[in-house]
Amino acid sequence: MVQKLMVVEQVLSANDRVAENNRQYFDRHAVFAINILASPGAGKTSLIEKTVQLLAARLRIAVIDGDIATSLDADRAAAAGASAVQINTGGECHLDAPMIAGALPQSVLSASVPEGDDKPYKYPGTYRGVNALVINKIDLLPYVTFNMDYFRQGVEILNPGLVTFPLSCRTDEGLDSWIHWLLQATLQFQEQSR
Ligand SMILES: Nc1nc2c(ncn2[C@@H]2O[C@H](COP(=O)(O)OP(=O)(O)O)[C@@H](O)[C@H]2O)c(=O)[nH]1
Ligand SMILES: [Mg+2]
Protein backbone atom coordinates (compact mmCIF):
# COMPACT_ATOMS: atom_id res chain seq x y z
CA MET A 1 0.00 0.00 0.00
CA VAL A 2 2.76 2.41 1.01
CA GLN A 3 4.76 1.42 -2.09
CA LYS A 4 1.77 2.12 -4.34
CA LEU A 5 1.42 5.64 -2.96
CA MET A 6 5.10 6.36 -3.62
CA VAL A 7 4.79 5.38 -7.30
CA VAL A 8 1.78 7.64 -7.81
CA GLU A 9 3.65 10.55 -6.28
CA GLN A 10 6.64 10.08 -8.55
CA VAL A 11 4.48 9.98 -11.69
CA LEU A 12 2.69 13.16 -10.66
CA SER A 13 5.83 15.09 -9.90
CA ALA A 14 7.34 14.00 -13.24
CA ASN A 15 4.17 15.36 -14.87
CA ASP A 16 4.45 18.64 -13.00
CA ARG A 17 8.10 19.06 -13.97
CA VAL A 18 7.42 18.52 -17.66
CA ALA A 19 4.37 20.79 -17.50
CA GLU A 20 6.49 23.53 -15.93
CA ASN A 21 9.12 23.13 -18.68
CA ASN A 22 6.40 23.40 -21.32
CA ARG A 23 4.99 26.51 -19.64
CA GLN A 24 8.41 28.18 -19.65
CA TYR A 25 8.93 27.24 -23.29
CA PHE A 26 5.60 28.79 -24.33
CA ASP A 27 6.35 31.96 -22.33
CA ARG A 28 9.84 32.31 -23.77
CA HIS A 29 8.50 32.15 -27.31
CA ALA A 30 5.44 34.34 -26.58
CA VAL A 31 3.12 31.49 -27.55
CA PHE A 32 -0.43 32.04 -26.33
CA ALA A 33 -1.56 28.50 -25.65
CA ILE A 34 -5.06 27.31 -24.87
CA ASN A 35 -6.44 23.94 -23.93
CA ILE A 36 -9.78 23.08 -25.57
CA LEU A 37 -11.68 20.32 -23.85
CA ALA A 38 -15.09 18.82 -24.55
CA SER A 39 -16.85 15.50 -24.70
CA PRO A 40 -16.46 13.47 -27.92
CA GLY A 41 -18.62 14.92 -30.69
CA ALA A 42 -19.19 18.31 -29.04
CA GLY A 43 -17.41 19.98 -31.93
CA LYS A 44 -13.82 20.64 -30.79
CA THR A 45 -12.33 19.85 -34.17
CA SER A 46 -15.03 21.84 -35.99
CA LEU A 47 -14.30 24.81 -33.72
CA ILE A 48 -10.57 24.47 -34.38
CA GLU A 49 -11.17 24.28 -38.14
CA LYS A 50 -13.30 27.43 -38.14
CA THR A 51 -10.91 29.27 -35.83
CA VAL A 52 -7.88 28.42 -37.94
CA GLN A 53 -9.67 29.41 -41.16
CA LEU A 54 -10.72 32.76 -39.70
CA LEU A 55 -7.45 33.62 -37.94
CA ALA A 56 -4.73 32.07 -40.10
CA ALA A 57 -4.13 35.39 -41.88
CA ARG A 58 -3.53 37.17 -38.53
CA LEU A 59 -1.80 34.54 -36.37
CA ARG A 60 0.50 31.59 -36.80
CA ILE A 61 -1.48 28.74 -35.32
CA ALA A 62 -0.31 25.31 -34.19
CA VAL A 63 -2.57 22.51 -33.02
CA ILE A 64 -1.55 19.61 -30.79
CA ASP A 65 -4.24 17.00 -30.98
CA GLY A 66 -4.52 14.29 -28.36
CA ASP A 67 -6.52 11.30 -29.56
CA ILE A 68 -6.73 7.62 -28.81
CA ALA A 69 -5.60 6.24 -32.17
CA THR A 70 -6.12 8.15 -35.41
CA SER A 71 -4.67 11.34 -36.86
CA LEU A 72 -8.01 12.32 -38.47
CA ASP A 73 -8.49 15.45 -36.36
CA ALA A 74 -4.91 16.68 -36.74
CA ASP A 75 -5.36 16.23 -40.49
CA ARG A 76 -8.50 18.40 -40.36
CA ALA A 77 -6.64 21.15 -38.45
CA ALA A 78 -3.77 20.99 -40.96
CA ALA A 79 -6.16 21.18 -43.91
CA ALA A 80 -7.66 24.32 -42.34
CA GLY A 81 -4.21 25.94 -42.32
CA ALA A 82 -2.58 25.17 -38.97
CA SER A 83 0.66 23.38 -38.18
CA ALA A 84 -0.69 20.27 -36.56
CA VAL A 85 0.74 17.32 -34.67
CA GLN A 86 -1.02 14.30 -33.28
CA ILE A 87 -0.33 12.59 -29.98
CA ASN A 88 -1.85 9.14 -29.96
CA THR A 89 -2.50 8.16 -26.37
CA GLY A 90 -3.03 4.48 -27.24
CA GLY A 91 -6.18 4.18 -25.16
CA GLU A 92 -5.13 3.81 -21.57
CA CYS A 93 -2.13 6.08 -21.28
CA HIS A 94 -3.14 9.71 -20.90
CA LEU A 95 0.30 10.88 -19.92
CA ASP A 96 1.58 13.01 -22.79
CA ALA A 97 -1.54 14.97 -23.61
CA PRO A 98 -2.25 16.04 -20.00
CA MET A 99 1.40 16.99 -19.57
CA ILE A 100 0.88 19.54 -22.31
CA ALA A 101 -2.63 20.43 -21.20
CA GLY A 102 -1.34 21.07 -17.68
CA ALA A 103 1.09 23.62 -19.05
CA LEU A 104 -1.56 25.73 -20.75
CA PRO A 105 -2.68 28.89 -18.98
CA GLN A 106 -6.11 29.24 -20.60
CA SER A 107 -8.66 26.47 -20.57
CA VAL A 108 -11.65 26.63 -22.91
CA LEU A 109 -14.54 24.25 -22.43
CA SER A 110 -16.82 23.47 -25.36
CA ALA A 111 -20.30 22.33 -24.45
CA SER A 112 -22.87 21.65 -27.14
CA VAL A 113 -26.64 21.90 -27.29
CA PRO A 114 -27.41 18.19 -27.93
CA GLU A 115 -25.55 17.20 -24.75
CA GLY A 116 -28.39 18.77 -22.73
CA ASP A 117 -28.76 21.75 -20.40
CA ASP A 118 -28.03 19.81 -17.21
CA LYS A 119 -24.31 19.34 -17.80
CA PRO A 120 -23.04 22.15 -15.52
CA TYR A 121 -25.06 20.59 -12.69
CA LYS A 122 -23.72 17.10 -13.44
CA TYR A 123 -20.06 18.01 -13.98
CA PRO A 124 -19.42 21.00 -11.71
CA GLY A 125 -15.65 20.44 -11.50
CA THR A 126 -15.24 20.78 -15.25
CA TYR A 127 -17.15 24.06 -15.40
CA ARG A 128 -15.36 25.54 -12.37
CA GLY A 129 -11.87 25.25 -13.78
CA VAL A 130 -12.25 26.93 -17.18
CA ASN A 131 -11.49 30.45 -18.46
CA ALA A 132 -14.03 30.54 -21.29
CA LEU A 133 -17.02 28.52 -22.42
CA VAL A 134 -18.19 27.82 -25.96
CA ILE A 135 -21.76 26.57 -26.37
CA ASN A 136 -21.63 24.98 -29.80
CA LYS A 137 -24.43 23.79 -32.13
CA ILE A 138 -26.92 26.57 -31.32
CA ASP A 139 -28.41 25.88 -34.78
CA LEU A 140 -29.96 22.80 -33.12
CA LEU A 141 -31.81 24.79 -30.41
CA PRO A 142 -35.17 24.57 -32.28
CA TYR A 143 -34.93 20.77 -32.37
CA VAL A 144 -33.48 19.85 -28.98
CA THR A 145 -34.80 20.40 -25.47
CA PHE A 146 -32.20 22.80 -24.14
CA ASN A 147 -33.12 25.65 -21.81
CA MET A 148 -30.35 28.23 -22.29
CA ASP A 149 -31.33 30.16 -19.13
CA TYR A 150 -31.22 27.01 -16.98
CA PHE A 151 -27.84 26.06 -18.46
CA ARG A 152 -26.41 29.55 -17.91
CA GLN A 153 -27.70 29.69 -14.33
CA GLY A 154 -25.84 26.49 -13.58
CA VAL A 155 -22.66 27.90 -15.11
CA GLU A 156 -23.00 31.21 -13.25
CA ILE A 157 -23.19 29.47 -9.85
CA LEU A 158 -20.01 27.48 -10.56
CA ASN A 159 -17.98 30.09 -12.43
CA PRO A 160 -19.40 33.60 -11.93
CA GLY A 161 -18.88 35.96 -14.85
CA LEU A 162 -17.42 33.23 -17.10
CA VAL A 163 -17.09 34.56 -20.64
CA THR A 164 -19.43 32.49 -22.81
CA PHE A 165 -19.78 32.13 -26.58
CA PRO A 166 -22.96 30.54 -27.91
CA LEU A 167 -22.18 29.71 -31.53
CA SER A 168 -22.63 27.33 -34.40
CA CYS A 169 -19.81 25.85 -36.41
CA ARG A 170 -22.48 24.82 -38.93
CA THR A 171 -24.04 28.26 -39.64
CA ASP A 172 -21.13 30.41 -38.32
CA GLU A 173 -23.56 32.33 -36.08
CA GLY A 174 -21.71 33.71 -33.03
CA LEU A 175 -18.25 32.77 -34.32
CA ASP A 176 -17.25 36.46 -34.66
CA SER A 177 -17.42 37.07 -30.88
CA TRP A 178 -15.26 34.01 -30.17
CA ILE A 179 -12.71 34.99 -32.81
CA HIS A 180 -12.58 38.56 -31.49
CA TRP A 181 -12.02 37.38 -27.90
CA LEU A 182 -9.32 34.89 -28.91
CA LEU A 183 -7.49 37.43 -31.04
CA GLN A 184 -7.58 40.08 -28.31
CA ALA A 185 -6.42 37.59 -25.66
CA THR A 186 -3.54 36.49 -27.90
CA LEU A 187 -2.41 40.03 -28.73
CA GLN A 188 -2.64 41.05 -25.06
CA PHE A 189 -0.54 38.06 -24.02
CA GLN A 190 2.06 38.78 -26.66
CA GLU A 191 2.18 42.44 -25.64
CA GLN A 192 2.86 41.38 -22.03
CA SER A 193 5.55 38.90 -23.09
CA ARG A 194 7.62 41.56 -24.81
N1 LIG B 1 -25.55 20.90 -36.28
C1 LIG B 1 -24.28 21.13 -35.95
N2 LIG B 1 -23.39 20.13 -36.02
C2 LIG B 1 -22.09 20.40 -35.67
C3 LIG B 1 -21.67 21.68 -35.25
N3 LIG B 1 -20.34 21.62 -34.95
C4 LIG B 1 -19.95 20.35 -35.20
N4 LIG B 1 -21.00 19.61 -35.65
C5 LIG B 1 -21.01 18.19 -36.03
O1 LIG B 1 -20.80 17.41 -34.86
C6 LIG B 1 -20.04 16.24 -35.16
C7 LIG B 1 -18.79 16.16 -34.26
O2 LIG B 1 -17.93 17.27 -34.55
P1 LIG B 1 -16.36 17.24 -34.25
O3 LIG B 1 -15.87 18.60 -34.54
O4 LIG B 1 -15.73 16.09 -34.96
O5 LIG B 1 -16.38 16.98 -32.67
P2 LIG B 1 -15.17 16.57 -31.66
O6 LIG B 1 -15.31 15.09 -31.45
O7 LIG B 1 -15.46 17.32 -30.38
O8 LIG B 1 -13.88 16.98 -32.29
C8 LIG B 1 -19.69 16.33 -36.63
O9 LIG B 1 -20.64 15.56 -37.35
C9 LIG B 1 -19.85 17.81 -36.94
O10 LIG B 1 -20.18 18.06 -38.29
C10 LIG B 1 -22.65 22.72 -35.17
O11 LIG B 1 -22.41 23.87 -34.79
N5 LIG B 1 -23.94 22.38 -35.53
MG1 LIG C 1 -12.23 15.82 -32.71
Side-chain angles (χ1 to χ4, degrees), residues 125-141:
T126 309
Y127 283 78
R128 265 195 208 105
V130 298
N131 305 98
L133 173 66
V134 168
I135 308 169
N136 190 24
K137 308 195 188 184
I138 57 168
D139 59 295
L140 297 179
L141 280 170

Side-chain angles (χ1 to χ4, degrees), residues 28-70:
R28 208 164 43 238
H29 297 275
V31 174
F32 181 68
I34 60 172
N35 176 30
I36 300 181
L37 68 151
S39 55
K44 293 173 295 298
T45 306
S46 302
L47 182 68
I48 289 168
E49 281 175 322
K50 289 284 180 184
T51 303
V52 170
Q53 284 162 9
L54 291 166
L55 280 179
R58 305 277 317 261
L59 303 172
R60 276 202 300 154
I61 303 176
V63 175
I64 303 172
D65 198 291
D67 236 318
I68 291 175
T70 69

Side-chain angles (χ1 to χ4, degrees), residues 140-172:
L140 297 179
L141 280 170
Y143 315 105
V144 177
T145 308
F146 184 96
N147 184 328
M148 187 61 86
D149 289 338
Y150 178 67
F151 179 88
R152 280 177 175 278
Q153 277 161 21
V155 174
E156 185 61 23
I157 293 164
L158 298 165
N159 198 328
L162 179 66
V163 57
T164 302
F165 303 100
L167 57 81
S168 167
C169 290
R170 173 69 45 88
T171 66
D172 292 356

